[in-house]
Amino acid sequence: MKQYTDAELAKILDKDIFHMISAAADELGLECYVVGGYVRDIFLERPSNDIDVVVIGSGISVAESLKEKLGRRARLSVFKNYGTAQVKVRGMEVEFVGARKESYSSDSRKPVVENGTLEDDQNRRDFTINALAICLNKNRFGELVDPFNGLYDLEDGIIRTPLDPDITFSDDPLRMLRCIRFATQLNFYIEEETFDALRRNAARLKIISSERIADEMNKIMMSRHPSTGFDYLYRSGLLFIILPELVALDNVTKQNGRAHKNNYYHTMEVLENVVKSQVENEKQSCQKNNEQVHQEDKQLWLRWAALLHDIGKMKVRRWDPLAGWTFHNHNYVGAKMVPEIFRRMKLPLDNKMKYVQKLVELHMRPIVIADDVVTDSAVRRLLNDAGDDIDDLMTLCEADITSKNQVRKSQFLDNFRIVREKLNDLKEKDYKRLLQPVIDGNEIMEMFNLRPSKEVGELKKYLKDAVLDNKVPNEREPLMQLLLQEAEKKGLVKAAKDS
């Protein structure tokens, strides 16, 4: 962590936007401070374009004055009900709020707000590292105000609340997730008294909307080591409220001296393996900015697939005297659980959910292939079912190999390499054209005077299986011969002639 004097902070803030805010506040005779994450990130040397400004008085009036100085290049949004305003200019967002003090009722995180001093405003901040403030008024420009020794906590890597953590978390239970999110993102340690308060107040999370919880969970998921966040969530009791299905995986049962692995800790290992693969791939790729945004979105949902890939195991766990512990069809059961989990957590129910569901359902397929002789037919079927998500599926499945038996693990990974080579060969040959029969359902119906029916589906499947198993090339003449032979067996040729 970097240490700065007030003079050095003034140089860091020596930018047009801060001098214009300073001038706007001074002209109105109001004290003005940049606060929170922007200040924290200065000391952590992290880039930030989101600026929070506290005004001792009307934050809206300073925002309006700044907009006048910036002219047409800036956009002003005013939220009078909340006493806040936002100015957007050249990729930066500046949020203005008047200093305030807050009081809460037990059944809501919406506070009763009164005008307050800078001290009041810093008292209401969630953590000491977010309570730092730097004065922007000309006569004190760059002066740091740090009443809770947030700089020491930044230096020591500690997350701690400014005031009593029980009050902080009870007043606004979302702060509990923010506490864990910051600790995970920054690789900081949650101070003992603060963590104990997480445990004591975990049940208060139930008053928080699912959307706000999902937002914090996604940020934890996108950190470099999300399993650290899940460790905090679990030990604090918050995970029992958010994802009880995941907690249920922390269950190891013995029968006749044989125990299955702990599927919760296995899931955490798989999640970390997926993140590691993504980080390595990022280093190797040079993508444009718009592609990078899409890639980050895809990364998030692959991590959710890793988190939920074994979610169905406890529902299908069985003891077999010959085979030992089994989890047959846990991938199909888990896939059915994905929509209800997404619905409850208010996660998107669109193609993102379907993507996660698809990977959960298919995650055993490459493992089954890699556990045997890798056949062309099996690989073609896998590619047909996974489609454009095949690379993500393979990443998940390779991450799923967590065996401590190094010989066994090496064998799986070698076979996965063969699977990947065969997949790459198919993709280079335009697999979509190769695997979709050139004779479609419409033509089948026309040939045999059929309406959409079970018979049409069976004939389509017959042709597709023949293509996937490479029994015939995906060409019209050999497929037509197969179709006519199968249709004749079903009596469809005669029926068509008679009609």
Side-chain angles (χ1 to χ4, degrees):
M1 187 199 87
K2 270 281 208 180
Q3 294 282 2
Y4 298 103
T5 63
D6 288 352
E8 289 170 330
L9 288 174
K11 285 184 179 179
I12 291 171
L13 297 180
D14 187 14
K15 300 175 183 176
D16 286 347
I17 188 67
F18 291 113
H19 287 298
M20 293 176 84
I21 295 170
S22 176
D26 284 343
E27 288 169 9
L28 293 166
L30 299 173
E31 283 184 53
C32 182
Y33 300 83
V34 57
V35 297
Y38 191 89
V39 180
R40 177 198 69 223
D41 288 343
I42 288 175
F43 291 94
L44 293 178
E45 298 182 276
R46 285 164 32 120
S48 178
N49 287 323
D50 296 335
I51 302 168
D52 291 324
V53 175
V54 164
V55 177
I56 315 306
S58 171
I60 293 175
S61 63
V62 177
E64 290 172 337
S65 177
L66 176 64
K67 167 66 173 80
E68 286 182 18
K69 293 178 183 299
L70 289 168
R72 295 176 62 182
R73 57 183 166 152
R75 184 158 61 89
L76 171 67
S77 301
V78 175
F79 311 96
K80 288 187 177 179
N81 289 344
Y82 299 97
T84 66
Q86 179 190 77
V87 176
K88 288 187 178 182
V89 58
R90 292 178 180 175
M92 289 187 298
E93 293 185 7
V94 187
E95 297 273 356
F96 291 86
V97 65
R100 59 194 191 186
K101 54 183 176 181
E102 300 173 341
S103 56
Y104 292 80
S105 63
S106 61
D107 60 347
S108 172
R109 62 180 292 264
K110 293 181 180 178
V112 176
V113 177
E114 302 174 68
N115 292 335
T117 64
L118 176 64
E119 181 183 1
D120 291 328
D121 202 86
Q122 288 178 300
N123 284 343
R124 74 178 181 85
R125 298 280 161 176
D126 49 10
F127 309 111
T128 59
I129 62 172
N130 293 335
L132 301 164
I134 300 174
C135 188
L136 294 179
N137 296 99
K138 186 175 181 180
N139 62 342
R140 295 170 54 206
F141 194 84
E143 179 185 311
L144 179 69
V145 182
D146 179 18
F148 305 110
N149 294 316
L151 277 186
Y152 290 121
D153 288 344
L154 274 178
E155 190 170 11
D156 295 337
I158 289 175
I159 303 293
R160 179 170 60 88
T161 59
L163 304 177
D164 184 333
D166 282 306
I167 296 174
T168 298
F169 293 148
S170 181
D171 280 351
D172 184 355
L174 186 66
R175 290 169 176 165
M176 294 188 285
L177 286 184
R178 285 171 55 83
C179 175
I180 290 172
R181 189 247 294 179
F182 282 123
T184 308
Q185 287 179 329
L186 301 176
N187 195 26
F188 277 21
Y189 166 74
I190 300 176
E191 180 257 347
E192 187 174 350
E193 186 179 346
T194 301
F195 185 78
D196 288 342
L198 289 178
R199 285 176 170 159
R200 288 192 294 268
N201 292 277
R204 290 279 293 155
L205 191 68
K206 293 175 182 176
I207 73 167
I208 301 298
S209 72
S210 297
E211 290 88 349
R212 300 302 297 271
I213 292 173
D215 184 53
E216 292 298 327
M217 290 292 289
N218 285 338
K219 290 173 182 177
I220 291 170
M221 289 286 273
M222 285 305 294
S223 65
R224 180 62 185 86
H225 291 289
S227 66
T228 299
F230 280 96
D231 178 57
Y232 281 130
L233 288 168
Y234 192 173
R235 290 192 295 113
S236 65
L238 291 168
L239 194 59
F240 290 77
I241 298 167
I242 300 168
L243 256 178
E245 299 92 340
L246 189 62
V247 175
L249 295 180
D250 185 18
N251 183 304
V252 178
T253 305
K254 280 188 177 182
Q255 182 90 11
N256 294 353
R258 295 172 67 180
H260 58 77
K261 67 186 174 188
N262 186 305
N263 289 297
Y264 174 81
Y265 292 108
H266 164 73
T267 295
M268 292 299 106
E269 192 173 351
V270 174
L271 178 58
E272 287 293 318
N273 287 343
V274 164
V275 174
K276 183 179 178 182
S277 294
Q278 291 176 337
V279 171
E280 289 173 354
N281 290 337
E282 272 184 0
K283 290 177 182 176
Q284 295 170 6
S285 64
C286 298
Q287 298 174 320
K288 295 178 183 178
N289 288 337
N290 61 336
E291 292 176 332
Q292 188 63 40
V293 169
H294 173 74
Q295 185 65 18
E296 288 175 1
D297 192 50
K298 198 84 179 286
Q299 285 182 350
L300 170 62
W301 303 111
L302 178 53
R303 294 182 188 197
W304 271 103
L307 187 73
L308 301 179
H309 81 285
D310 277 348
I311 205 73
K313 276 193 166 179
M314 289 302 101
K315 290 193 174 185
V316 298
R317 180 179 61 181
R318 299 290 183 272
W319 169 256
D320 185 313
L322 297 177
W325 288 106
T326 67
F327 301 92
H328 294 315
N329 294 325
H330 73 273
N331 51 317
Y332 298 112
V333 172
K336 289 181 180 178
M337 294 170 66
V338 169
E340 64 186 67
I341 290 172
F342 269 53
R343 195 172 292 112
R344 186 184 73 232
M345 294 187 67
K346 296 295 190 292
L347 290 165
L349 298 176
D350 55 12
N351 288 335
K352 294 172 180 129
M353 183 275 289
K354 291 177 182 176
Y355 165 86
V356 173
Q357 187 177 30
K358 179 181 183 180
L359 294 193
V360 171
E361 181 173 336
L362 293 179
H363 82 270
M364 292 298 295
R365 287 275 293 282
I367 294 174
V368 171
I369 294 173
D371 197 26
D372 203 347
V373 177
V374 181
T375 65
D376 288 348
S377 174
V379 172
R380 289 163 74 90
R381 286 179 174 279
L382 175 65
L383 184 52
N384 175 74
D385 292 343
D388 293 334
D389 299 317
I390 186 64
D391 290 331
D392 292 342
L393 178 63
M394 292 300 295
T395 296
L396 172 59
C397 292
E398 286 174 343
D400 199 14
I401 307 303
T402 61
S403 172
K404 300 299 181 280
N405 183 328
Q406 291 304 313
V407 174
R408 178 84 166 142
K409 186 174 183 177
S410 178
Q411 178 187 346
F412 265 115
L413 294 177
D414 284 345
N415 279 6
F416 270 127
R417 180 180 51 78
I418 296 171
V419 173
R420 277 194 181 274
E421 288 172 358
K422 289 181 179 290
L423 287 169
N424 288 334
D425 184 52
L426 270 174
K427 283 192 283 186
E428 286 175 8
K429 293 178 181 176
D430 185 5
Y431 78 91
K432 288 183 178 178
R433 181 180 58 79
L434 285 172
L435 302 184
Q436 295 298 325
V438 295
I439 300 174
D440 63 15
N442 290 328
E443 189 170 357
I444 291 172
M445 287 189 287
E446 187 176 336
M447 284 177 62
F448 303 111
N449 294 328
L450 295 172
R451 293 186 177 183
S453 60
K454 179 182 177 183
E455 286 84 1
V456 177
E458 288 175 347
L459 289 173
K460 283 175 61 179
K461 184 177 184 302
Y462 181 76
L463 293 183
K464 188 157 193 172
D465 286 345
V467 171
L468 292 175
D469 292 335
N470 211 18
K471 290 179 179 177
V472 293
N474 191 7
E475 297 170 2
R476 186 171 186 77
E477 188 175 337
L479 279 175
M480 185 62 73
Q481 290 179 3
L482 274 181
L483 175 60
L484 290 171
Q485 290 170 9
E486 185 66 14
E488 192 165 0
K489 288 180 187 177
K490 293 176 176 292
L492 295 175
V493 175
K494 184 177 183 302
K497 287 178 180 178
D498 291 344
S499 64

